[in-house]
Amino acid sequence: MGRPDKAARAAIARRRSDALDLRLAGVDWLTIARKLVADLAANSDGIAYPQGYGIERYRKKQDPPSDEALIHAACRDVRQALADRRAELADDVDELRALEEDRLDRLFFVAYKKAVRDQDLAAIDRTLRIMERRARLLGLDMPVRTELSGPDGGPVQVENATVDELEKLIALTDPDTG
């Protein structure tokens, strides 16, 4: 069996989308599978779903797949549909990030020109804000290192506490529980 043609790939993508929509609606795996099976006898709606589960078996006039095989196919479709949507979102985010970068470049050019030519302090501040925004957008800033310390800058003491001790501490610090 070779790679499906364009129409079959579109039908498979539609099946995966339908499987995901059903799962998001709270439908159980077996019900999803029985709605999307190719065999008329096994399909809960009594229709031959295009490129449905077990399509090859249906074409060969074999028995439909087992419930376990159908559930496995539905799970696989939902996983693939989610992966496809994540990939689409990542592409959209990359496009939006590039668009925002272009906008910042245009704004920066205007503010920078005014800051240098006129030595305008407001334009200098605006230029710096655009640079800060670009650095955040592109992840250029170094991560901030945070360190916790105990009393007088010493190490934090970690101790085991009982539930009663924790409840007393909560009562001391939270006026709603006292």
Side-chain angles (χ1 to χ4, degrees):
M1 184 172 117
R3 180 182 160 107
D5 64 12
K6 190 173 184 177
R9 287 193 309 271
I12 291 167
R14 180 71 205 158
R15 183 192 71 212
R16 288 177 178 158
S17 179
D18 288 348
L20 179 59
D21 290 345
L22 288 166
R23 188 62 184 161
L24 290 173
V27 177
D28 67 274
W29 292 112
L30 185 56
T31 302
I32 293 169
R34 286 189 177 152
K35 284 187 165 297
L36 303 179
V37 69
D39 194 317
L40 289 165
N43 189 294
S44 62
D45 295 334
I47 59 169
Y49 193 89
Q51 289 300 319
Y53 305 134
I55 186 74
E56 293 302 321
R57 296 175 67 91
Y58 179 68
R59 287 180 180 150
K60 294 176 185 175
K61 302 198 184 315
Q62 296 174 343
D63 289 336
S66 68
D67 286 351
E68 185 176 305
L70 288 172
I71 290 170
H72 179 73
C75 290
R76 188 178 59 240
D77 268 0
V78 168
R79 262 194 314 275
Q80 186 61 51
L82 286 170
D84 293 346
R85 287 191 182 179
R86 275 192 302 272
E88 288 173 22
L89 286 174
D91 290 344
D92 291 346
V93 167
D94 288 342
E95 287 177 27
L96 184 56
R97 188 174 286 121
L99 177 64
E100 288 298 316
E101 189 178 354
D102 288 344
R103 288 175 177 161
L104 288 170
D105 286 343
R106 287 182 176 191
L107 293 172
F108 177 80
F109 179 71
V110 171
Y112 184 79
K113 204 163 79 174
K114 184 166 178 71
V116 172
R117 184 185 58 223
D118 299 342
Q119 297 182 349
D120 182 336
L121 294 178
I124 292 170
D125 287 341
R126 184 62 42 122
T127 302
L128 291 171
R129 287 185 61 208
I130 294 169
M131 291 169 64
E132 289 169 357
R133 177 66 189 115
R134 179 186 289 125
R136 278 194 317 274
L137 177 69
L138 300 177
L140 300 176
D141 291 335
M142 294 289 290
V144 177
R145 185 174 170 167
T146 305
E147 190 172 304
L148 297 176
S149 62
D152 300 323
V156 175
Q157 297 295 319
V158 179
E159 299 176 13
N160 292 332
T162 66
V163 173
D164 291 337
E165 290 172 328
L166 290 173
E167 287 175 353
K168 287 179 187 175
L169 182 59
I170 290 169
L172 288 173
T173 58
D174 188 359
D176 294 335
T177 62

